[in-house]
Amino acid sequence: MVFKMLDPRIREVLKERDIHEPTGPQRDAIPRILEGRHVLLVAPTGIGKTEAAILPVLHKILANPGKGIQCIYVTPLKALNRDMLKRLEEFGEALDLRVAVRHGDTSQTERQKQSKQAPDILITTPETLQIMFTGKNLRAHLANVRFFIVDEIHELTDDERGAQLAVAMERLVDMAGEFQRIGLSATVGSIPTVAKMLAGADRDVTIVKAQVSKQMSLSVQCPQVADADKDLAGTLQSDPQLISCMRRCRDIIEKHRSTLLFVNTRDTAEALAARYHVWDESFKIGVHHGSLSKEIRIEMEDDFKAERLKGLICTSSLELGIDIGSADFAIQYNSPRQVARLIQRMGRAGHHVGIRSEGAIIASNPDEIAESLVIVRKALDEELEPLLVRECPLTVLANQLIAMAMVGQVKSDDAFRTVRRAFPFRNLERRQFDSVLNLLGSIGLLFINEKDYKKSARGRKYFYDNISMIPDERTYLVRDLGTRSIVGTLDESFVISFAEPYATFITRGRSWRIVEVKEDELLVEQVKDIGSIPSWVGEDIPVPYSVAQEVGRLRRVRGLEGYKGDEQANAELGKYLKEQTDSGSVPTDKLVTLEMAKKLAIINACFGTKVNETIAKMLSTLLSARLGESVGVTTDPYRIILDLPRDVKADTILDTLRSLRPNSVESLIRMVIRNSSHLRWRFVYVAKKFGAVEKEADYRNINFSRLIEAYEQTAMFDEAINKVLWEDLDMESTVDVVNRIDSGELEFKVCGLTPMGRAGLQHSKELITPQRADHSILMALKKRLEDEQMFMSCLNCGHQFRLKPKEAPKRVLCQNCGGSMVAALNPYNRDNIRLLKKPKPSDEEKKEIARLYKSASLVSTKGKKAMVALAGRGVGPDTAARVLSSFQQDEDDFLRDILAAEINYAKTKRFWD
């Protein structure tokens, strides 16, 4: 037996924990790890992957003890670190080995302790590992590393965090020599790619794929709307169909001991939780997502584990192996969009060896039903999406070049060789490397000599500001006014557009009223109303091309054999397809339909999220150029919706679509991106990661045009374009679609509005901005501004009255006193008029005015006379200082205002204060 290969002390610990037989993954992986091979273990959640990796490592550490850190265990989440510490500490205490965790929340005392006396096993995150390279003592401890374990490595494979970790492992090789690498991954579609990410460009890795499959019982359900749902819909401010889905979810939760309810976005999680609490306050359900505070998340995890909660609404924050006890059922609310995501989520139910995972997808409409049916079939047949690694992400290269310089002078040739050993940079050219290095030098982050480079003071600040490759979005804390505890966070975009005193919103599944908006936090109090749902960055999960195409095939064939829908779900889908057939043609994997209406065109195309987005950008740009006016565009995985400036013939749209050529797709989309809002956000992110823009810079104050102008011919601009192509669009599948259009394989049909077209009209639109604002844009802006309701506020008597700009006379006068000093205030700051009233200044303040007046050498004689007049009218010193400053900027304008104000004492006082 495999366990007999391990140290007797380890076997004793396993016996105490009632573990007598190895699982399949443990039986396959432990011997290979003991042989010293690099190993990637691929297995579903909950069948002993962690023990399969750590047991042989513990055996080797016991057999050959050493000083310093022997093993580094990296996880992508701090929450996973906490769980791993609990699990490994049991082994550590029994085997007299020290296990410690180090991440952003680790106390300074614990950090110093680790620096002086290194643990044998250190659990950490990719970001904290970056900082560890900079400490003198920690570097000495890292030089002893013999084992490197990456948990949930599939989560890091296809993003910049993974590329950063890959380079970090190669930097560690330069310090410690070669070490054994072990990766733990859930079932993914591109196992060899994940293996290469772990091992690097030129190392062999042994792949161990679990033979014992974890069985899943899955179904797709669509509950029928009952009369009670219609009544409840009014109370919960929702649609009856969505209420019926909530009722079905609740029924399932109440029939099971512990149920996880997965949703795709944080706003959906909050919307469901809030409505459940309004519906029945006694219903024991919680909410868990990344924008809740750490304390709230831990509280929810503990309550669920202790079964104080029967259900927990969660996002991808609970997809990974965080210990939340034993859930016996998992619900996915609407389609999970991707096969790998469904497998990971459903695997959380029955999170133990040999236990069958049970789950269901509750779908709210026919599009969700069809997509869910396809994803369940693919999951059960293990047809997962491929994981792709982006080559040469230059933001990571810039980040790591500066990180290397944090410990002294770096030889450029050595840095190039180190980076090239990491799998994402295996094809990095010296030309690219030098262009990034020189750009960092020109920005002032590095001092570059002929053969080496070193950090500058600004480069040091950059490093600590940019340890993480996770995109930065400024967030505001949400603080409960009653308890002073942190409830969660909100993204800046939501706060700017929505947050104002007395507005209500939802977080933690409860409604809150904003009491005060501070510089970096919101003070709130809990209320019973249903508030607005906050927006958070990076929420949408894209539907792959392969999934959307099978949905199209399902529509075409209409055979549901092999698909796991319940009777009601199948009936709803059949009814939907029949209604569509009666209204026009059904769009499929081989047929694209074009629906025409007044100033509107809907292209029904089963191409998936990113392909439809790519085609929409090209098509709307070409149409905008052809029509001379902007074309609004909205996409989803099955539609492209064009909001036209005027009625356009169907042939015009089809001719434009057919004019696309496979060999010109990339050049056209690169040109389109330059004028897209996508580039604005991506370029600011890239500029921050290159150090050209400060991390804390407010994007509203960044002059995007000047930034582009300054760096258009550099590696930074190329990186921004490539980042949009990789993360937001799908070039390869788009070229496939254009080839099929070109060859005639895809058929087109034109019709009027149909049920499928109308289903897509609920989304927002993005305007493809033309080079100049055209007449329609300017007129729309003019109309919106003219209809804005303003509170006109008299600075003389304080009277307020409402007025729209389009109704305003040439000269606005106060309706109460006839005064002409009238300010226009928005409704949300109308109460600011009260700030104009100020008590009369003291004698000391008047003396201060006199002192300021005598020292104000830059103020003219005429200005001093005005100042004397102001001081005599009881104006405070803060106002006097502002007046002095204003005189120096533009004396004549302010003098006119002051002398006019002197006509009336009351006016003068209120005008300045």
Side-chain angles (χ1 to χ4, degrees):
M1 189 179 79
V2 166
F3 285 166
K4 289 182 179 179
M5 303 171 72
L6 301 173
D7 188 286
R9 289 168 286 181
I10 297 175
R11 296 204 300 270
E12 187 62 31
V13 177
L14 292 173
K15 187 177 178 181
E16 289 172 4
R17 295 176 66 177
D18 202 26
I19 300 174
H20 302 287
E21 292 289 331
T23 64
Q26 292 165 0
R27 190 170 51 248
D28 295 337
I30 288 174
R32 291 171 173 81
I33 295 172
L34 287 173
E35 290 169 11
R37 302 188 200 179
H38 302 305
V39 171
L40 173 67
L41 173 57
V42 181
T45 302
I47 56 174
K49 285 198 302 258
T50 302
E51 287 74 14
I54 202 68
L55 292 178
V57 169
L58 291 172
H59 172 89
K60 288 189 161 196
I61 293 174
L62 290 173
N64 186 17
K67 294 181 179 180
I69 300 169
Q70 299 294 296
C71 172
I72 289 181
Y73 195 112
V74 171
T75 76
L77 297 176
K78 286 187 286 186
L80 274 174
N81 282 358
R82 290 196 304 269
D83 280 351
M84 207 52 58
L85 181 64
K86 292 176 189 173
R87 294 169 70 178
L88 297 189
E89 271 184 333
E90 294 179 24
F91 283 105
E93 288 171 9
L95 302 172
D96 198 25
L97 295 174
R98 185 160 175 259
V99 181
V101 67
R102 191 182 183 101
H103 52 59
D105 295 335
T106 304
S107 68
Q108 191 60 37
T109 304
E110 176 62 19
R111 289 168 190 261
Q112 290 172 354
K113 186 178 176 183
Q114 293 171 8
S115 180
K116 292 174 184 174
Q117 186 182 359
D120 298 288
I121 300 172
L122 183 66
I123 305 165
T124 190
T125 60
E127 290 72 29
T128 303
L129 181 61
Q130 294 291 320
I131 301 175
M132 289 171 62
F133 282 117
T134 63
K136 183 180 177 182
N137 291 343
L138 284 172
R139 283 172 59 80
H141 296 321
L142 287 173
N144 298 293
V145 169
R146 292 188 286 151
F147 311 98
F148 200 103
I149 302 173
V150 186
D151 201 354
E152 308 282 3
I153 188 172
H154 61 283
E155 285 290 318
L156 297 167
T157 296
D158 60 348
D159 65 14
E160 291 181 352
R161 293 182 76 203
Q164 185 190 45
L165 179 62
V167 176
M169 285 193 283
E170 300 307 329
R171 291 169 60 198
L172 187 58
V173 169
D174 292 339
M175 291 170 53
E178 289 289 345
F179 45 80
Q180 187 175 3
R181 305 179 186 212
I182 302 162
L184 305 178
S185 172
T187 308
V188 291
S190 307
I191 294 172
T193 302
V194 179
K196 280 295 183 185
M197 194 72 177
L198 170 71
D202 299 314
R203 297 179 190 88
D204 293 328
V205 61
T206 300
I207 296 171
V208 177
K209 190 172 186 298
Q211 298 300 312
V212 183
S213 63
K214 190 171 182 186
Q215 293 184 335
M216 291 189 294
S217 173
L218 302 174
S219 64
V220 178
Q221 304 176 20
C222 180
Q224 197 163 10
V225 177
D227 290 339
D229 299 326
K230 295 174 184 177
D231 296 337
L232 191 58
T235 306
L236 300 184
Q237 300 175 27
S238 191
D239 179 81
Q241 182 61 57
L242 298 179
I243 298 300
S244 70
C245 290
M246 286 181 62
R247 188 182 296 278
R248 176 65 60 85
C249 291
R250 179 172 178 171
D251 290 344
I252 292 172
I253 290 169
E254 290 182 333
K255 286 176 184 175
H256 291 83
R257 190 185 71 257
S258 297
T259 303
L260 289 171
L261 173 49
F262 283 101
V263 297
N264 293 336
T265 62
R266 286 170 278 187
D267 52 4
T268 306
E270 292 290 4
L272 287 178
R275 280 161 176 78
Y276 275 127
H277 286 132
V278 172
W279 180 3
D280 184 355
E281 190 64 48
S282 65
F283 183 41
K284 295 177 180 178
I285 193 163
V287 63
H288 186 292
H289 60 71
S291 286
L292 293 172
S293 66
K294 181 185 79 171
E295 291 75 19
I296 298 294
R297 292 199 304 272
I298 293 172
E299 179 189 331
M300 291 293 174
E301 292 164 18
D302 291 344
D303 285 351
F304 187 75
K305 196 185 304 185
E307 298 187 11
R308 288 187 290 271
L309 293 173
K310 281 188 69 68
L312 189 58
I313 303 171
C314 50
T315 59
S316 54
S317 60
L318 280 184
E319 272 181 27
L320 304 183
I322 299 169
D323 181 15
I324 40 86
S326 178
D328 59 345
F329 202 87
I331 302 171
Q332 168 66 46
Y333 179 77
N334 279 327
S335 161
R337 311 298 180 220
Q338 297 170 355
V339 181
R341 208 167 276 274
L342 178 67
I343 291 175
Q344 191 81 355
R345 291 177 175 184
M346 294 298 111
R348 300 295 285 158
H351 187 63
H352 290 289
V353 180
I355 296 179
R356 183 184 181 90
S357 290
E358 291 195 33
I361 300 179
I362 309 300
S364 62
N365 62 59
D367 278 344
E368 297 285 354
I369 293 169
E371 189 173 288
S372 300
L373 290 173
V374 168
I375 289 175
V376 167
R377 189 214 50 86
K378 282 177 166 283
L380 295 174
D381 291 343
E382 293 192 4
E383 294 178 16
L384 286 85
E385 302 86 9
L387 266 181
L388 303 175
V389 175
R390 183 178 165 219
E391 284 197 24
C392 303
L394 300 185
T395 47
V396 177
L397 177 59
N399 175 275
Q400 289 299 282
L401 288 176
I402 295 170
M404 290 178 188
M406 288 299 293
V407 293
Q409 203 140 317
V410 182
K411 290 184 178 178
S412 302
D413 290 347
D414 290 348
F416 179 63
R417 280 193 291 271
T418 298
V419 172
R420 285 252 309 182
R421 291 202 306 268
F423 181 68
F425 293 98
R426 64 198 180 281
N427 296 320
L428 178 70
E429 297 177 8
R430 186 60 192 247
R431 170 187 57 80
Q432 291 173 292
F433 177 89
D434 289 338
S435 68
V436 172
L437 186 63
N438 291 329
L439 180 56
L440 295 174
S442 68
I443 292 170
L445 301 178
L446 297 174
F447 295 122
I448 302 173
N449 299 318
E450 188 176 340
K451 292 186 177 180
D452 53 35
Y453 67 90
K454 62 181 181 180
K455 72 177 185 299
S456 65
R458 190 178 168 195
R460 187 176 187 280
K461 180 180 183 301
Y462 162 91
F463 172 76
Y464 288 108
D465 282 347
N466 293 275
I467 290 162
S468 173
M469 297 308 297
I470 300 170
D472 296 313
E473 166 84 2
R474 186 182 173 192
T475 57
Y476 287 74
L477 296 175
V478 180
R479 188 183 297 277
D480 185 344
L481 192 60
T483 64
R484 306 302 296 177
S485 62
I486 302 298
V487 178
T489 62
L490 293 175
D491 284 348
E492 181 180 42
S493 53
F494 179 76
V495 173
I496 289 169
S497 60
F498 175 82
E500 59 183 71
Y502 310 115
T504 58
F505 68 97
I506 295 172
T507 191
R508 198 185 167 186
R510 308 280 180 174
S511 291
W512 305 82
R513 180 186 291 121
I514 298 171
V515 176
E516 185 180 351
V517 181
K518 294 195 167 186
E519 185 177 348
D520 56 359
E521 68 178 17
L522 305 182
L523 297 181
V524 301
E525 60 185 1
Q526 196 168 326
V527 292
K528 289 289 185 184
D529 306 331
I530 291 181
S532 298
I533 309 298
S535 58
W536 282 289
V537 170
E539 285 287 275
D540 292 337
I541 301 170
V543 176
Y545 177 57
S546 59
V547 169
Q549 281 285 279
E550 186 167 337
V551 169
R553 191 191 71 81
L554 186 64
R555 290 175 178 178
R556 175 169 53 85
V557 176
R558 304 198 188 186
L560 296 176
E561 298 80 12
Y563 292 98
K564 300 288 184 178
D566 70 359
E567 186 178 343
Q568 181 64 26
N570 292 345
E572 281 293 319
L573 182 58
K575 178 184 173 185
Y576 181 58
L577 294 176
K578 184 180 183 303
E579 286 177 357
Q580 180 66 20
T581 304
D582 294 343
S583 301
S585 298
V586 177
T588 68
D589 56 332
K590 295 186 176 182
L591 174 66
V592 176
T593 64
L594 173 59
E595 301 180 14
M596 301 298 298
K598 188 172 180 63
K599 294 186 180 180
L600 182 73
I602 302 173
I603 301 170
N604 293 298
C606 300
F607 299 148
T609 305
K610 290 187 175 182
V611 175
N612 278 353
E613 182 72 20
T614 311
I615 292 173
K617 285 192 174 301
M618 294 188 292
L619 181 60
S620 58
T621 300
L622 293 173
L623 282 173
S624 293
R626 194 166 180 172
L627 301 174
E629 295 183 88
S630 293
V631 173
V633 60
T634 308
T635 65
D636 67 30
Y638 307 101
R639 301 166 192 82
I640 299 169
I641 302 173
L642 301 172
D643 194 354
L644 304 166
R646 58 177 183 269
D647 288 337
V648 175
K649 290 182 180 179
D651 286 346
T652 303
I653 296 171
L654 292 178
D655 289 347
T656 305
L657 195 55
R658 288 179 175 131
S659 69
L660 297 173
R661 292 290 174 266
N663 57 0
S664 63
V665 166
E666 184 169 345
S667 58
L668 176 58
I669 200 66
R670 282 180 178 273
M671 181 188 75
V672 169
I673 287 171
R674 287 171 177 263
N675 203 37
S676 165
S677 62
H678 278 71
L679 182 64
R680 180 180 297 269
W681 302 113
R682 295 297 184 198
F683 192 71
V684 169
Y685 166 78
V686 170
K688 286 183 178 181
K689 290 303 174 189
F690 269 82
V693 173
E694 292 293 330
K695 180 186 177 182
E696 298 300 326
D698 189 333
Y699 63 84
R700 294 168 299 174
N701 298 328
I702 295 172
N703 189 321
F704 183 70
S705 300
R706 287 184 63 184
L707 197 62
I708 288 278
E709 190 178 314
Y711 295 105
E712 191 166 9
Q713 303 301 321
T714 68
M716 192 191 303
F717 187 76
D718 293 341
E719 171 71 357
I721 295 282
N722 291 333
K723 198 168 173 61
V724 173
L725 291 177
W726 180 262
E727 296 187 10
D728 302 320
L729 309 175
D730 182 349
M731 300 304 299
E732 185 179 341
S733 299
T734 301
V735 169
D736 179 59
V737 169
V738 174
N739 267 318
R740 291 170 64 197
I741 293 172
D742 208 29
S743 66
E745 181 187 336
L746 279 174
E747 186 184 350
F748 288 88
K749 281 192 177 178
V750 179
C751 58
L753 276 182
T754 69
M756 282 190 180
R758 291 190 186 94
L761 291 176
Q762 305 305 314
H763 304 280
S764 60
K765 69 176 183 176
E766 176 200 86
L767 269 181
I768 295 293
T769 313
Q771 289 296 326
R772 297 173 60 221
D774 58 38
H775 182 71
S776 63
I777 291 175
L778 293 174
M779 289 302 100
L781 179 62
K782 179 174 182 287
K783 185 176 186 307
R784 184 178 69 78
L785 293 176
E786 284 180 339
D787 287 335
E788 195 108 350
Q789 186 80 261
M790 306 301 296
F791 278 85
M792 309 309 294
S793 308
C794 180
L795 303 180
N796 177 32
C797 68
H799 176 68
Q800 289 187 315
F801 56 97
R802 295 181 184 180
L803 187 68
K804 290 183 179 180
K806 67 180 180 183
E807 299 165 354
K810 190 170 183 181
R811 189 172 182 218
V812 179
L813 298 175
C814 175
Q815 297 172 351
N816 184 49
C817 71
S820 61
M821 289 189 295
V822 180
L825 298 178
N826 285 312
Y828 58 81
N829 61 11
R830 59 177 295 193
D831 291 340
N832 288 358
I833 191 73
R834 296 173 189 162
L835 301 176
L836 299 179
K837 297 175 182 177
K838 185 177 177 180
K840 194 169 182 178
S842 64
D843 292 338
E844 287 75 16
E845 287 177 313
K846 291 181 181 179
K847 288 177 184 177
E848 180 67 8
I849 277 283
R851 188 188 66 75
L852 288 169
Y853 155 68
K854 289 176 183 176
S855 63
S857 57
L858 293 177
V859 180
S860 67
T861 304
K862 192 177 180 184
K864 286 180 180 178
K865 288 179 180 177
M867 285 296 298
V868 172
L870 282 170
R873 300 295 189 260
V875 176
D878 53 341
T879 298
R882 288 200 303 275
V883 172
L884 286 174
S885 171
S886 302
F887 272 134
Q888 293 163 24
Q889 292 168 20
D890 195 345
E891 182 178 312
D892 289 343
D893 285 347
F894 275 86
L895 276 174
R896 278 196 295 273
D897 286 337
I898 293 165
L899 294 173
E902 275 197 273
I903 295 169
N904 180 285
Y905 161 65
K907 283 186 182 178
T908 307
K909 185 174 178 183
R910 289 193 177 92
F911 178 65
W912 289 110
D913 293 288

